[in-house]
Amino acid sequence: MTVAGLLGALASPDPTPGGGTAAAIAGAMGTSLLVMVTGLAKSKSNTDDEKAALAGARAELEPITARLTQLADADTEAFNAVMAAYRLPKATDDEKAARSRAIQDGLRAATVVPLDTLRACAIAVDHGRAVAAHGNRSASSDVGVAIGLLKAAADGAAANVRINLTSLKDEVFRTATEDETTRVLSAATAAASDAMRAVAT
Amino acid sequence: MTVAGLLGALASPDPTPGGGTAAAIAGAMGTSLLVMVTGLAKSKSNTDDEKAALAGARAELEPITARLTQLADADTEAFNAVMAAYRLPKATDDEKAARSRAIQDGLRAATVVPLDTLRACAIAVDHGRAVAAHGNRSASSDVGVAIGLLKAAADGAAANVRINLTSLKDEVFRTATEDETTRVLSAATAAASDAMRAVAT
């Protein structure tokens, strides 16, 4: 898909692609910018440990871009499945029960996808701390943009988890997912603050 | 350009496209999501004034996506011009003077482009308040993602203005641009907070 096509699809009144997809793509852009900085020639410092930290971050970050691109598509598919479930017939009790199960299954998937997006962004921000600390100083604004996009993506993914959780009836799943969302988002927020401080120094 | 192509270009060790381009695309995604919400059938409320506010926001937001897409390209071109200026010959005094002028001209353009990105994001966030207040409640997470992306884009654009300002010698331009950046970013930050509050209610 082209960038112009993605923007047009986001702007169209169809509910998909929506915020979950945009968040995943923003996270993928942030991750890509971090990968760029790990590939720049001059790092802030030249110790072997610091070079190894940058190389390690690069190896971890590279697959996350592809993962977030997949999750961008998966978010659209999951939400389409929820909408299809809502359109199922509900004339008989059997149909009502089947429709309700399909909606609940769909919502569960539509919750798991943005939670995975949140997790991927949190891992990228975590490695972003090493990039901020040891990356080429001339690219500090690139690192700042990357961390800002990953933080916005993590916030957006968490909002998508939570809005879908509200309609889920499985209370055990709901509580576990809410706890996990809070935990991962807190970790991502803290790591983003660390990275932003390192960029500024 | 495809989304995958953009992500690959951001990740490559070439300095362009970099954070300025990623910020502009993130702002374009946020703007597109706001346009989507203005096009959804059911708004939160049905008064004519509120419908007019949503339609007005839509009319203002639609061209901003294209504007930010142009600025994404312009950012890459401006930074490429700066790098080309740094590669100019500097063997003689005349060459040194010409090179210095070219660098300064390039940096000025590389400052004006992200300032325009910041302005466009600030206008989008400003209209985002009406979308947050009157848009379809079921799309509140989309509005939240949109505002988060626009705020990250505004922050990132401001960081790009400021990093290029540091090497500019024209103190009058530098001061005026720094003041404008601070003013527009403050307005965008306040509007984003307003919009986020409206989404949550």
Side-chain angles (χ1 to χ4, degrees), chain B residues 52-87:
Chain B
L54 269 184
R58 180 181 181 86
E60 300 286 340
L61 287 164
E62 276 180 330
I64 297 177
T65 303
R67 175 84 181 122
L68 284 167
T69 309
Q70 288 163 358
L71 287 165
D73 290 338
D75 197 275
T76 294
E77 287 159 20
F79 199 70
N80 285 342
V82 171
M83 289 189 298
Y86 275 109
R87 285 191 299 265

Side-chain angles (χ1 to χ4, degrees), chain B residues 116-175:
Chain B
D116 280 345
T117 300
L118 170 58
R119 287 187 183 115
C121 291
I123 295 170
V125 175
D126 195 41
H127 294 297
R129 293 188 296 183
V131 181
H134 309 308
N136 188 321
R137 211 175 263 280
S138 70
S140 63
S141 65
D142 296 306
V143 179
V145 172
I147 300 298
L149 291 181
L150 283 163
K151 177 60 170 59
D155 286 335
N160 275 276
V161 173
R162 287 170 173 153
I163 203 169
N164 289 327
L165 273 188
T166 57
S167 307
L168 261 173
K169 291 177 182 162
D170 179 344
E171 199 172 322
V172 172
F173 177 85
R174 219 170 55 211
T175 305

Side-chain angles (χ1 to χ4, degrees), chain A residues 44-45 50 54 128-135 137 143 195 198-199 201:
Chain A
K44 270 187 196 172
S45 42
E50 289 165 349
L54 269 184
R129 294 189 295 183
V131 181
H134 309 308
R137 210 175 265 277
V143 178
V199 165
T201 58

Side-chain angles (χ1 to χ4, degrees), chain A residues 55-129:
Chain A
R58 181 180 181 88
E60 300 287 339
L61 287 164
E62 276 180 329
I64 296 177
T65 303
R67 175 84 181 122
L68 284 167
T69 309
Q70 287 163 358
L71 287 165
D73 289 337
D75 197 274
T76 294
E77 287 158 20
F79 199 71
N80 284 342
V82 172
M83 289 190 298
Y86 275 109
R87 285 191 299 267
L88 287 175
K90 47 179 178 175
T92 68
D93 283 352
D94 278 359
E95 283 180 353
K96 281 180 190 163
R99 176 174 174 272
S100 178
R101 271 196 306 276
I103 291 170
Q104 291 295 311
D105 288 349
L107 284 169
R108 190 183 285 250
T111 303
V112 168
V113 172
L115 180 55
D116 280 345
T117 299
L118 170 58
R119 287 188 183 113
C121 291
I123 296 170
V125 174
D126 195 41
H127 294 297
R129 294 189 295 183

Side-chain angles (χ1 to χ4, degrees), chain B:
Chain B
M1 184 179 249
T2 64
V3 173
L6 170 67
L7 294 171
L10 289 172
S12 91
D14 297 331
T16 57
T21 295
I25 297 291
M29 287 201 297
T31 305
S32 293
L33 281 173
L34 292 177
V35 170
M36 173 187 81
V37 178
T38 64
L40 294 176
K42 292 180 198 162
S43 61
K44 269 187 197 173
S45 41
N46 291 303
T47 75
D48 287 346
D49 280 359
E50 289 165 348
K51 281 183 184 163
L54 269 184
R58 180 181 181 86
E60 300 286 340
L61 287 164
E62 276 180 330
I64 297 177
T65 303
R67 175 84 181 122
L68 284 167
T69 309
Q70 288 163 358
L71 287 165
D73 290 338
D75 197 275
T76 294
E77 287 159 20
F79 199 70
N80 285 342
V82 171
M83 289 189 298
Y86 275 109
R87 285 191 299 265
L88 287 175
K90 48 179 177 175
T92 68
D93 283 352
D94 277 359
E95 282 180 354
K96 280 181 189 162
R99 176 174 175 273
S100 178
R101 272 196 305 277
I103 291 170
Q104 291 296 310
D105 288 349
L107 284 170
R108 190 183 285 249
T111 303
V112 168
V113 171
L115 180 55
D116 280 345
T117 300
L118 170 58
R119 287 187 183 115
C121 291
I123 295 170
V125 175
D126 195 41
H127 294 297
R129 293 188 296 183
V131 181
H134 309 308
N136 188 321
R137 211 175 263 280
S138 70
S140 63
S141 65
D142 296 306
V143 179
V145 172
I147 300 298
L149 291 181
L150 283 163
K151 177 60 170 59
D155 286 335
N160 275 276
V161 173
R162 287 170 173 153
I163 203 169
N164 289 327
L165 273 188
T166 57
S167 307
L168 261 173
K169 291 177 182 162
D170 179 344
E171 199 172 322
V172 172
F173 177 85
R174 219 170 55 211
T175 305
T177 305
E178 174 55 39
D179 288 353
E180 171 79 352
T181 301
T182 301
R183 193 186 64 72
V184 179
L185 184 59
S186 298
T189 302
S193 296
D194 285 352
M196 284 298 201
R197 262 195 302 276
V199 165
T201 57

